[in-house]
Amino acid sequence: MRKLPIGIQNFKELRTENYYYVDKTLFVKQLVEGGKYYFLSRPRRFGKSLFLDTLKQAFSGNKPLFEGLYLEKNWDWNIKYPVIHISFGEGVIEDEKDLERRIQQILRDNAKNLNLAFQEEYDNRYFFIQLIREACRKHDQKVVVLVDEYDKPILDNLTQKEKAVKIREKLKDLYSVIKGSDEYLKFAFLTGVSKFSKVSIFSGLNNLKDITLDPRYASLCGYTEKELVETFQDRLEGVNLEEVRSWYNGYSWLGEKVYNPFDILLYLDTKTFHPYWFETGTPTFLIQLLLQHHSYLPELENLEVGNELLESFDVDLIEPEVVLFQTGYLTITGTRQLEPLTLYKLSYPNLEVKMALHDSLLTHLAKITEKQKNLIKIHEILNKNELNDLKKLFQSFFASIPYEWYTKNNLSSYEGFYASIVYTYFAASGLKCVVEDSTSKGKLDMAVFYKNRAYLFEFKVVEFEPEGKALEQIKKKKYDEKYHGRYEEIYLIGVEFSAKERNVLLFEWEKQQV
């Protein structure tokens, strides 16, 4: 049995040390035949660095590493190109001076690898220019430039706008060299987590072909279902693929859905379901962004956005939906044409992300010990079907939120906040729940499904509507009719909050005759 390539980003090591490998070399051929300058955005831990190293080994002419792979018989191995490889994946860039030092070291290392002399008096931009030209001259071949994690220095400082802007300008100056060196270049490929707007970091490099949402390259990073089954067949004995799919599959960029490699490899190693990818570094600023924007959290289940939101963002304009998509917490589930616009439907890719994101949100809102107790109680109450205890549980949700959250954020005046907290607890519990579920009579606020039972929720705030309207609306609109024949038991639950009391004021429920 071969070794699982957990965390392996070096193509040579992967191919010579008896690791599993999902053959992605067909994409190398397609890219080279289809263009010259490329950009790809994918979330962290999706295999971007490994693919860049695959490109490096192919252009360097290391044919033995590709034995048995698609590229072995579909590549001209007689030509070896000089490769400049720039990566900002390691460590954290503190400020623009730190960035300048890092760039200088990276360029120096590349000059050494290409057997070129290094001139100390060069500034980074000029040194990069000379590095490309001298590499082309010395090796008598055009140069390949590969940039990994091009945006990480900015993302490292995104919460400090002034620093981030200065770093952005330094990187823009560096990357503009690529466009100006066209006659010396064979190929260039940049990867990152985010896509910054063309008027900022890419203003000096506007000739890149963005393949982020190109269906032809949707599975360039990540494992398709077919690749998982065929490559790891000996590791899947006794595994419930449907459950694995629910936990880790579902990422989509307008093409075939893929698994996160980091998740699935760790699962195959332990055979334990766990939020492996999420725990490697969910940015605190993302959670804070959602809370600061008073995001209506149930809407994350079913968002619809336009091109302007998905294509880019910048230091000066950071929208939660853009960050959630580009960092992998939301994915594309469909499209809709509204001429001349294309609208994209977004939702969570899988159970891991949905559970873990909401668990992290609760950690920022509530005391950790209270949060854990409440999550356990949800399952206990639904298992026993003791709905009268739900009111006390909901009240404990809000009682566990520190008072300063209300005073600092004025959350008590935000109507959707209350429904968001209830929804977030159910989502973090891993229970199947649907928000804004459409019926023939309107949209139900939330439906939770447990075993053979359906719990239908409607939320109101008493300062905005008279008391007793929540349950009345479910019955009047006959929201339950949609679930007849699908569930053995249906419960109608009206929950009404008080902004003044910052808690549940009224909790009513009825069992519907099926």
Side-chain angles (χ1 to χ4, degrees):
M1 188 176 287
R2 286 175 288 173
K3 296 185 287 185
L4 294 166
I6 300 170
I8 304 298
Q9 301 177 8
N10 184 290
F11 184 72
K12 181 178 181 180
E13 179 184 357
L14 191 148
R15 294 291 292 159
T16 59
E17 298 294 331
N18 195 36
Y19 285 101
Y20 291 92
Y21 175 66
V22 174
D23 189 358
K24 299 288 186 179
T25 62
L26 169 64
F27 291 112
V28 176
K29 177 78 168 177
Q30 289 179 343
L31 287 167
V32 175
E33 289 183 345
K36 182 174 179 178
Y37 299 102
Y38 291 96
F39 169 77
L40 175 71
S41 170
R42 286 292 185 270
R44 56 190 168 82
R45 299 284 190 172
F46 254 86
K48 299 187 299 296
S49 298
L50 175 60
F51 184 74
L52 245 65
D53 199 53
T54 306
L55 285 168
K56 178 180 179 180
Q57 297 301 333
F59 279 112
S60 299
N62 292 327
K63 183 179 179 180
L65 299 180
F66 294 84
E67 183 179 352
L69 302 180
Y70 173 84
L71 209 62
E72 180 189 11
K73 297 179 180 180
N74 294 279
W75 189 257
D76 186 353
W77 297 105
N78 294 316
I79 305 176
K80 295 185 178 182
Y81 298 92
V83 178
I84 296 174
H85 186 202
I86 297 172
S87 175
F88 293 108
E90 296 180 0
V92 174
I93 298 295
E94 298 293 337
D95 51 36
E96 60 177 322
K97 295 297 182 183
D98 188 22
L99 175 63
E100 289 178 344
R101 289 190 293 270
R102 180 71 64 84
I103 293 172
Q104 188 176 92
Q105 183 60 55
I106 289 171
L107 296 178
R108 186 186 295 116
D109 290 344
N110 275 279
K112 182 179 179 181
N113 292 336
L114 294 168
N115 296 315
L116 298 173
F118 174 74
Q119 301 295 327
E120 289 288 344
E121 65 270 18
Y122 289 170
D123 64 31
N124 289 336
R125 185 177 184 277
Y126 185 64
F127 180 33
F128 192 19
I129 294 172
Q130 292 303 108
L131 183 61
I132 292 173
R133 294 180 179 181
E134 288 302 308
C136 181
R137 180 192 61 79
K138 184 177 181 64
H139 295 270
D140 196 27
Q141 288 291 347
K142 289 190 174 183
V143 179
V144 173
V145 175
L146 307 174
V147 182
D148 195 17
E149 305 286 1
Y150 89 99
D151 54 344
K152 189 173 180 297
I154 303 174
L155 299 180
D156 285 342
N157 294 272
L158 204 54
T159 57
Q160 302 179 68
K161 183 178 176 180
E162 187 175 339
K163 278 188 180 181
V165 169
K166 290 180 179 178
I167 288 172
R168 181 191 67 190
E169 295 307 303
K170 290 290 182 183
L171 289 174
K172 180 169 66 174
D173 189 48
L174 179 72
Y175 299 143
S176 67
V177 170
I178 297 174
K179 182 179 180 181
S181 302
D182 181 68
E183 63 182 295
Y184 304 98
L185 296 179
K186 166 66 178 178
F187 184 86
F189 196 95
L190 281 74
T191 75
V193 169
S194 59
K195 182 186 175 185
F196 283 85
S197 66
K198 292 179 180 179
V199 298
S200 60
I201 198 166
F202 285 129
S203 61
L205 187 56
N206 56 11
N207 57 337
L208 289 175
K209 182 179 181 180
D210 184 3
I211 60 172
T212 300
L213 296 182
D214 188 329
R216 294 172 296 178
Y217 300 100
S219 60
L220 187 151
C221 292
Y223 300 155
T224 66
E225 180 92 9
K226 182 180 179 182
E227 289 170 339
L228 172 67
V229 173
E230 290 182 352
T231 305
F232 302 95
Q233 186 175 11
D234 56 342
R235 294 269 185 171
L236 293 172
E237 186 177 351
V239 167
N240 184 334
L241 272 177
E242 185 176 347
E243 193 171 6
V244 172
R245 192 180 302 119
S246 173
W247 264 83
Y248 301 123
N249 198 4
Y251 295 93
S252 174
W253 288 273
L254 299 182
E256 189 173 358
K257 292 180 180 179
V258 295
Y259 289 84
N260 179 308
F262 187 76
D263 266 330
I264 200 64
L265 291 174
L266 282 168
Y267 169 76
L268 292 176
D269 184 45
T270 64
K271 300 294 174 64
T272 301
F273 291 106
H274 189 76
Y276 301 107
W277 173 76
F278 192 91
E279 291 186 349
T280 60
T282 298
T284 300
F285 88 87
L286 175 57
I287 303 300
Q288 293 174 341
L289 190 65
L290 287 170
L291 298 175
Q292 288 168 1
H293 278 69
H294 289 176
S295 299
Y296 182 50
L297 301 179
E299 284 185 343
L300 300 183
E301 194 95 32
N302 188 24
L303 279 176
E304 192 171 56
V305 298
N307 284 321
E308 74 283 356
L309 283 177
L310 290 187
E311 286 186 347
S312 61
F313 77 98
D314 203 359
V315 176
D316 303 312
L317 181 62
I318 304 175
E319 296 291 342
E321 297 87 349
V322 182
V323 179
L324 285 165
F325 169 70
Q326 295 193 0
T327 52
Y329 299 96
L330 295 178
T331 197
I332 299 173
T333 58
T335 60
R336 182 167 67 95
Q337 287 299 131
L338 189 64
E339 296 296 343
L341 302 176
T342 298
L343 301 180
Y344 298 89
K345 297 179 181 179
L346 304 180
S347 190
Y348 306 105
N350 49 46
L351 183 59
E352 178 211 6
V353 174
K354 182 176 179 178
M355 284 180 61
L357 178 63
H358 286 279
D359 187 82
S360 187
L361 282 162
L362 290 175
T363 299
H364 282 73
L365 282 172
K367 300 172 185 176
I368 294 179
T369 54
E370 290 298 320
K371 179 198 74 173
Q372 294 300 336
K373 289 179 183 177
N374 289 336
L375 291 176
I376 293 171
K377 285 180 181 177
I378 288 176
H379 285 274
E380 291 177 341
I381 289 173
L382 294 186
N383 187 52
K384 297 177 181 178
N385 202 28
E386 296 176 343
L387 296 191
N388 288 328
D389 290 340
L390 266 183
K391 179 180 180 180
K392 294 179 181 178
L393 180 61
F394 285 3
Q395 288 174 331
S396 70
F397 290 172
F398 296 96
S400 66
I401 298 175
Y403 175 74
E404 56 266 23
W405 268 104
Y406 293 99
T407 56
K408 289 181 180 179
N409 298 284
N410 194 30
L411 293 175
S412 61
S413 64
Y414 173 51
E415 184 175 0
F417 169 71
Y418 302 99
S420 291
I421 294 298
V422 174
Y423 163 74
T424 297
Y425 266 104
F426 279 108
S429 300
L431 293 167
K432 181 181 179 182
C433 54
V434 178
V435 296
E436 299 289 333
D437 199 14
S438 296
T439 71
S440 60
K441 303 294 179 63
K443 289 187 176 181
L444 175 71
D445 281 346
M446 184 174 73
V448 176
F449 309 102
Y450 186 84
K451 296 182 178 179
N452 62 344
R453 303 190 293 269
Y455 302 92
L456 313 183
F457 290 88
E458 188 70 25
F459 303 114
K460 300 289 183 185
V461 174
V462 296
E463 280 81 3
F464 303 142
E465 293 189 51
E467 292 183 29
K469 291 293 184 180
L471 182 60
E472 179 184 314
Q473 179 168 322
I474 303 178
K475 295 162 67 176
K476 182 179 179 181
K477 296 285 188 178
K478 298 181 180 180
Y479 289 146
D480 60 289
E481 290 182 349
K482 177 177 179 177
Y483 305 95
H484 284 250
R486 297 163 57 187
Y487 295 92
E488 294 179 13
E489 298 178 27
I490 298 175
Y491 296 87
L492 316 181
I493 305 172
V495 185
E496 302 186 5
F497 307 97
S498 168
K500 181 180 178 181
E501 299 295 329
R502 299 189 299 275
N503 214 311
V504 176
L505 185 68
L506 188 65
F507 182 96
E508 299 178 299
W509 65 273
E510 288 184 10
K511 182 177 180 180
Q512 187 68 12
Q513 294 296 322
V514 179

